[in-house]
């Protein structure tokens, strides 16, 4: 079936090239095409799958066997790749065999003043299919039509309307939906989405031609029932012509993946922390002080939003007419700018993006949002409306994520990340302070001040100390350095190589640091502590020479065979004779039926939570302070007792002097008895209870003496470990006033 939508729009140009594959020296071939990244989006964590392809056009794509970081530098660009083609994967023969033929990527360059863009459209074709073993349709064809194109104008929240609002009507989509087709491949086994979509495309080819769709140039969205083995909700090429939707047919998933297709990466957030884990202001040493959340920006559909439109930088990447002002502050700079809200935009020539350059190829992007249904659905009190949002962005040739900065870093989320009126945010990379003066009628007054970049390094640390042991382990400690602005942390170097970062004034090296080889007992190393500040300046290194202690390689003796010292219905208690070691004992590891139960530093252990009337085998081994382990001890069987039973009703005797003796018949498999006394309170009309434990007894003289004439009742139950019987029916005794005289 063909569901066709036509809207009077034009097409966004994407390169589509035919294969050029001449043989070259060395046995490889050369291919020319467009590099496209792809992401498998979970919307909760980092993408489950990432990769790159070389798109040769007309549906021909080869997987690129090269580091993703390198492929990202060519994303959207036309390249010639020379390499070996095997089973649909193209492997460059060397680092120089990827040549950029067109370095310009899709997206608008940074602009001052008015951005003029002709109204453009992109043809989007949805191909829906099912499997022989999975025929559930995630949405009907009519529902998909309504979601994507809103053919009957009944859905103001369609994906077409979404992109029209994001672009101020400068961009839209046209197309239709084909299907449902049942492919021959099953959903079982691996997530073979490439094979599935290839079969679906073949089945849809005739219908596409009849409907006037060119599958070689259109963006194709494949929709199929949810397949658990895929592990993602949607997968989209960046930039590219294909998305796959794993059952999640909604605005967020399809709008997000189309964003990738049209050239936009994820909207992330960055959170920085000190040595205690407390959130702190943004620092230049991002990799050492900060962490990223892949979808952490809650103010974009490319981040954590279900339907909010793209932020300003992403709109520029898409080629939308976002007017921006770019400034490069120098020391002493102090200017105030008016920034119009991104939505709505009655004046398309108003500045809606303030861009502040930083050293290198990054910059700060400042924007203001405003309420506008249905997509910019902020409340009038939202921090996004009352304040300005600040992000770190990168040159348009870099398909990296934008990174939301948190101006309100003292809270636990970034939902209040915006700078509010009267507040500021400081960027240690550029030395710029951005202050929101006010927000009035959708216009923000933004002050930009620069103290210049911080070129002053922190002082060196003092009093560097060392200690070692035979683990092997090296512990370093020092007194704090100082800085003119903000000290951020300390690089720890071993043998001149950066091995770790410390936030506190101590650090331990156990030989497991990333980028550094392990420690060798008896070897000598030179350690250096180098302070750095929030602007990334490095102080002078302070060094110390450390000789690692010689290693203890001798295991302790085996402990004695454990003895069973007690059992209940749910536990076995053990003891054993101690082991010995040439240096220092560490403890003992206890095993039940060959499975480790844990360790103890003593020579006794109680294994609890067991099943009644069951036999278990126990062994023990010793270990020393260097983690050398002895052989296992001999084995001993411990059998839990049967569950306790008790059914006899107790007898009661008044002894005089306010005392009552309780006697009962012994039960079976009992470790302890519990005696319950209840006293009738005639005033409150309730029974007042108290419990006494009687270990190994069948009689008990009450210690809480009778003090008044009343009715008393007693009940008994039996316990063994965690097993306990029910209370038996109680016996009563009535004490008169005369008996208490």
């Amino acid at each position: 079936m063909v569901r066709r939508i036509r809207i009077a729009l034009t097409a966004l140009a994407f390169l589509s090239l035919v294969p050029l594959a001449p043989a070259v020296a060395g046995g490889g071939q050369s291919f020319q095409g467009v590099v496209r990244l792809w992401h498998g989006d979970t919307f909760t964590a980092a993408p489950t799958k990432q990769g790159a392809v070389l798109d040769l056009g007309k549906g021909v794509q080869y997987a690129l066997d090269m580091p993703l970081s390198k492929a990202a530098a060519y994303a959207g660009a036309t390249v010639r790749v020379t390499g070996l083609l095997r089973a649909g994967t193209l492997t460059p023969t060397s680092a120089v065999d990827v040549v950029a033929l067109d370095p310009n990527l899709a997206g608008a360059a940074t602009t001052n003043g008015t951005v003029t863009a002709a109204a453009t459209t992109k043809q989007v074709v949805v191909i829906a299919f099912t499997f022989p073993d999975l025929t559930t349709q995630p949405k009907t064809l009519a529902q998909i039509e309504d979601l994507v194109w809103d053919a009957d104008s009944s859905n103001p929240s369609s994906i077409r309307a979404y992109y029209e609002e994001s672009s101020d009507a400068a961009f839209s989509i046209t197309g239709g939906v084909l299907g449902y087709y049942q492919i021959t491949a099953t959903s079982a086994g691996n997530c073979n989405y490439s094979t599935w979509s290839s079969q679906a495309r073949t089945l849809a080819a005739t219908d596409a031609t009849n409907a006037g769709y060119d599958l070689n140039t259109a963006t194709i969205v494949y929709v199929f029932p949810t397949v658990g083995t895929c592990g993602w909700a949607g997968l989209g090429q960046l930039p590219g012509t294909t998305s796959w939707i794993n059952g999640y047919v909604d605005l967020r998933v399809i709008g997000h993946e189309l964003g990738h297709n049209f050239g936009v990466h994820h909207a992330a957030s960055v959170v920085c922390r000190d040595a205690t884990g407390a959130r702190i202001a943004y620092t230049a040493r991002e990799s050492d002080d900060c962490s990223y959340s892949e979808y952490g920006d809650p103010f974009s559909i490319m981040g954590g939003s279900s339907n909010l439109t793209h932020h300003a930088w992403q709109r520029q990447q898409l080629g939308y007419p976002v007017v921006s002002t770019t400034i490069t502050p120098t020391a002493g700079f102090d200017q105030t700018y008016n920034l119009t809200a991104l939505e709505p935009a009655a004046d398309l020539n108003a500045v809606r993006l303030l861009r502040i350059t930083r050293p290198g190829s990054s910059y700060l992007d400042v924007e203001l949002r405003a309420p506008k249904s249905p997509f910019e659905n902020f409340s009038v009190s939202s921090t996004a409306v009352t304040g300005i949002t600040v992000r770190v962005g990168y040159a348009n040739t870099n398909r990296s994520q934008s990174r939301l900065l948190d101006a309100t870093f003292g809270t636990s989320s970034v939902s209040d990340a915006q700078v509010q009126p009267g507040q500021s945010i400081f960027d240690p990379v550029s030395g710029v302070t951005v202050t929101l003066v006010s927000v009035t009628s959708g216009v923000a007054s933004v002050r930009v001040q620069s103290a210049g970049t911080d070129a002053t390094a922190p002082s060196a640390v003092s009093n560097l100390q060392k200690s070692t042991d035979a683990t092997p382990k090296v512990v370093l400690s020092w007194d704090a350095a100082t800085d003119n602005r903000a000290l951020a942390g300390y690089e720890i170097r071993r043998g001149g190589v950066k091995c770790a970062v410390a936030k506190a004034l101590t650090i331990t090296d156990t030989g497991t640091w990333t980028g550094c080889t392990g420690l060798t007992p008896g070897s000598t190393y030179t350690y250096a502590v180098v302070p750095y500040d929030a602007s990334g300046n490095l102080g002078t290194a302070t060094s110390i020479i450390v000789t690692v202690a010689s290693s203890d390689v001798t295991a302790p003796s085996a402990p004695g065979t454990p003895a069973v010292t007690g059992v209940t219905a749910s536990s076995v208690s053990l003891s054993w004779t101690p082991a010995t070691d040439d240096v220092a004992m560490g403890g003992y590891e206890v095993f039940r039926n060959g499975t480790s139960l844990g360790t103890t530093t003593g020579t006794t252990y109680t294994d609890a939570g067991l099943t009644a009337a069951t036999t278990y085998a126990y062994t023990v081994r010793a270990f020393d302070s260097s983690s050398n382990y002895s052989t296992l001890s001999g084995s001993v069987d411990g059998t839990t007792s049967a569950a306790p039973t008790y059914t006899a009703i107790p007898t009661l005797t008044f002894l005089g002097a306010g005392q009552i003796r309780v006697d009962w018949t012994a039960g079976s498999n009992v470790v302890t008895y519990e005696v319950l006394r209840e006293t009738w309170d005639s005033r409150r009309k309730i029974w007042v209870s108290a419990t006494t434990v009687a270990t190994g007894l069948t009689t008990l003289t009450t210690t809480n003496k009778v003090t008044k004439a009343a009715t008393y009742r007693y009940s008994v139950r039996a316990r063994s470990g965690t097993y306990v019987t029910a209370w038996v029916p109680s016996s009563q005794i009535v004490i008169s006033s005369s008996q208490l005289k």
Side-chain angles (χ1 to χ4, degrees):
M1 181 180 291
V2 180
R3 309 285 300 195
R4 187 176 183 184
I5 307 298
R6 292 197 178 274
I7 302 171
L9 305 163
T10 53
L12 185 68
F14 275 70
L15 292 173
S16 180
L17 305 174
V18 290
L20 177 64
V24 297
Q29 294 177 294
S30 288
F31 298 87
Q32 184 172 311
V34 181
V35 176
R36 307 195 189 281
L37 309 182
W38 53 266
H39 295 280
D41 291 307
T42 64
F43 298 93
T44 57
T48 57
K49 295 176 68 70
Q50 297 186 80
V53 298
L54 185 67
D55 187 351
L56 279 64
K58 298 185 177 182
V60 179
Q61 296 183 348
Y62 297 140
L64 280 175
D65 182 16
M66 60 189 297
L68 188 61
S69 58
K70 182 175 182 178
Y74 296 105
T78 307
V79 301
R80 181 174 61 250
V81 180
T82 302
L84 300 176
L85 180 64
R86 299 187 182 93
T89 297
L90 180 59
T91 304
T93 52
S94 72
V96 298
D97 285 335
V98 180
V99 179
L101 304 178
D102 177 8
N104 298 314
L105 304 185
T110 301
T111 309
N112 290 309
T114 303
V115 176
T116 302
T120 61
T121 64
K122 180 69 176 176
Q123 187 177 83
V124 176
V125 179
V126 176
I127 299 179
F129 64 88
T130 59
F131 306 91
D133 59 329
L134 186 60
T135 59
T136 305
Q137 297 180 3
K139 287 281 194 303
T140 67
L141 300 180
Q143 289 172 327
I144 298 174
E145 274 187 4
D146 187 56
L147 169 67
V148 180
W149 295 280
D150 183 28
D152 59 2
S153 301
S154 63
N155 180 17
S157 299
S158 68
I159 294 172
R160 175 181 63 82
Y162 173 87
Y163 276 96
E164 288 178 351
E165 179 172 317
S166 285
S167 66
D168 289 319
F171 178 89
S172 193
I173 59 175
T174 186
V177 54
L178 309 175
Y180 275 92
Y181 304 102
Q182 187 176 99
I183 63 174
T184 57
T186 68
S187 67
N190 296 327
C191 181
N192 296 314
Y193 62 91
S194 181
T195 299
W196 302 340
S197 56
S198 177
Q199 292 185 5
R201 177 175 173 140
T202 299
L203 294 172
T206 300
D207 289 340
T209 300
N210 292 337
Y213 306 143
D214 185 353
L215 298 185
N216 294 321
T217 60
T219 296
I220 303 177
V221 179
Y222 293 99
V223 172
F224 52 90
T226 303
V227 179
T229 55
C230 288
W232 39 263
L235 186 152
Q237 293 177 337
L238 170 68
T241 59
T242 312
S243 288
W244 294 261
I245 307 301
N246 185 22
Y248 292 83
V249 185
D250 55 35
L251 171 62
R252 181 183 188 186
V253 177
I254 296 181
H256 180 105
E257 302 307 334
L258 285 175
H260 285 326
N261 292 163
F262 300 156
V264 181
H265 208 307
H266 290 146
S269 63
V270 56
V271 172
C272 306
R273 301 183 184 274
D274 64 12
T276 68
R279 297 175 62 163
I280 58 174
Y282 176 75
T283 77
R285 296 278 293 229
E286 296 181 16
S287 60
D288 294 330
D289 304 313
C290 311
S291 60
Y292 305 101
S293 175
E294 182 83 15
Y295 308 95
D297 187 340
F299 307 104
S300 169
I301 198 171
M302 305 310 293
S305 168
S306 296
N307 61 348
L308 293 178
T309 57
H310 300 94
H311 59 65
W313 176 49
Q314 292 172 335
R315 297 188 190 200
Q316 280 200 337
Q317 288 183 299
L318 292 165
Y320 300 163
V322 177
V323 178
S324 63
T325 291
T326 300
I327 57 176
T328 304
T330 55
F333 186 94
D334 190 343
Q335 295 288 334
T336 300
Y337 300 86
N338 286 333
L339 184 62
T340 299
L342 196 58
E343 296 280 358
D347 181 6
L348 294 182
N349 294 322
V351 175
R352 293 187 287 166
L353 173 63
L354 179 63
R355 177 160 294 166
I356 305 167
T357 62
R358 312 160 90 207
S361 60
S362 63
Y363 42 78
L364 299 178
D365 276 350
V366 185
E367 69 178 41
L368 174 69
R369 305 289 275 268
K372 181 183 178 182
S373 296
F375 303 111
E376 299 292 83
N377 56 350
F378 300 107
S379 71
V380 295
S381 60
S382 168
T383 57
V385 174
T386 60
I388 53 174
T389 305
V390 182
R391 296 178 176 87
V392 174
Y394 300 86
N396 284 335
T397 54
N398 187 328
R399 294 289 168 180
S400 298
Q401 306 153 319
S402 62
R403 294 170 181 174
L404 173 68
L405 300 186
D406 191 0
T408 317
F409 51 81
T411 62
S412 60
S413 77
V414 296
S415 60
D416 57 357
Q418 290 81 7
V419 181
Q420 298 300 305
Q423 296 180 340
S424 303
I425 188 170
F426 175 71
D427 175 33
V429 176
S430 61
V432 166
T433 298
V434 178
T435 303
L436 178 58
V437 179
S438 63
V439 176
T440 305
S441 301
V443 177
S445 177
V446 181
R447 184 180 183 184
V448 180
Q449 299 166 284
S450 177
T453 55
D454 178 14
T456 303
S459 69
V461 304
S462 59
N463 195 30
L464 179 58
Q465 301 288 321
K466 65 182 180 181
S467 67
T468 69
D469 68 22
T471 304
K473 180 173 69 177
V474 175
V475 180
L476 303 176
S477 62
W478 58 90
D479 292 342
T482 59
D483 187 69
N484 64 316
R485 290 188 181 175
L487 187 72
Y490 304 89
E491 284 188 4
I492 311 300
R493 300 174 182 176
R494 188 203 316 148
V497 177
K498 177 184 172 183
C499 300
V501 172
K503 297 305 182 90
L505 301 179
T506 184
I507 195 168
T508 299
D509 182 7
T510 59
T512 59
W513 285 343
T514 301
C516 297
T517 58
L519 293 174
T520 302
S523 296
T524 298
Y525 301 90
T526 298
Y527 287 86
V529 178
V530 185
Y532 64 91
D533 61 22
S535 299
N537 298 307
L538 291 172
T540 301
T542 301
S543 300
I544 192 170
I545 297 175
V546 181
T547 299
V548 181
S550 297
S551 180
D552 173 15
V553 296
T554 302
S557 65
T561 301
V564 177
T565 59
V567 298
T568 70
S570 60
S571 67
V572 174
S573 295
L574 307 167
S575 70
W576 55 88
T577 57
T580 59
D581 187 69
D582 63 330
V583 178
M585 281 292 299
Y588 302 88
E589 186 174 15
V590 183
F591 295 83
R592 181 215 302 148
N593 296 338
T595 300
S596 177
L597 298 176
T599 62
T600 178
T601 57
T603 57
T604 62
Y605 189 89
T606 296
D607 184 19
L610 304 177
T611 302
T614 303
T615 299
Y616 302 92
Y618 293 93
T619 54
V620 182
R621 69 175 179 176
F623 60 90
D624 61 20
S625 58
S626 298
S627 297
N628 299 304
Y629 286 87
S630 74
T631 58
L632 287 170
S633 70
S635 179
V636 67
D637 289 342
T639 303
T640 54
S641 60
T645 60
Y646 178 74
T647 58
I649 298 174
T651 60
L652 309 177
T653 306
F654 182 66
L655 301 179
Q659 290 187 311
I660 297 173
R661 189 180 74 219
V662 184
D663 297 285
W664 61 90
T665 304
S668 302
N669 309 310
V670 179
V671 175
T672 61
Y673 296 93
E674 296 174 2
V675 181
L676 173 68
R677 186 183 84 169
E678 298 176 290
T679 306
W680 179 251
D681 188 325
S682 57
R683 181 177 60 86
R684 293 184 292 170
K685 307 298 182 183
I686 60 172
W687 289 96
V688 181
S689 61
T691 303
T692 302
V693 176
T695 303
L697 303 176
T698 57
T699 184
L700 177 71
T701 301
T702 59
T703 56
N704 45 348
K705 296 182 179 181
V706 176
T707 58
K708 63 179 181 178
T711 299
Y712 298 86
R713 64 186 187 188
Y714 291 81
S715 186
V716 178
R717 68 179 181 185
R719 179 182 295 274
S720 179
T722 59
Y723 288 83
V724 62
T725 67
W727 293 105
V728 299
S730 59
S731 294
Q732 291 189 3
I733 187 171
V734 180
I735 307 300
S736 64
S737 300
S738 61
Q739 291 177 294
L740 295 176
K741 293 180 178 179

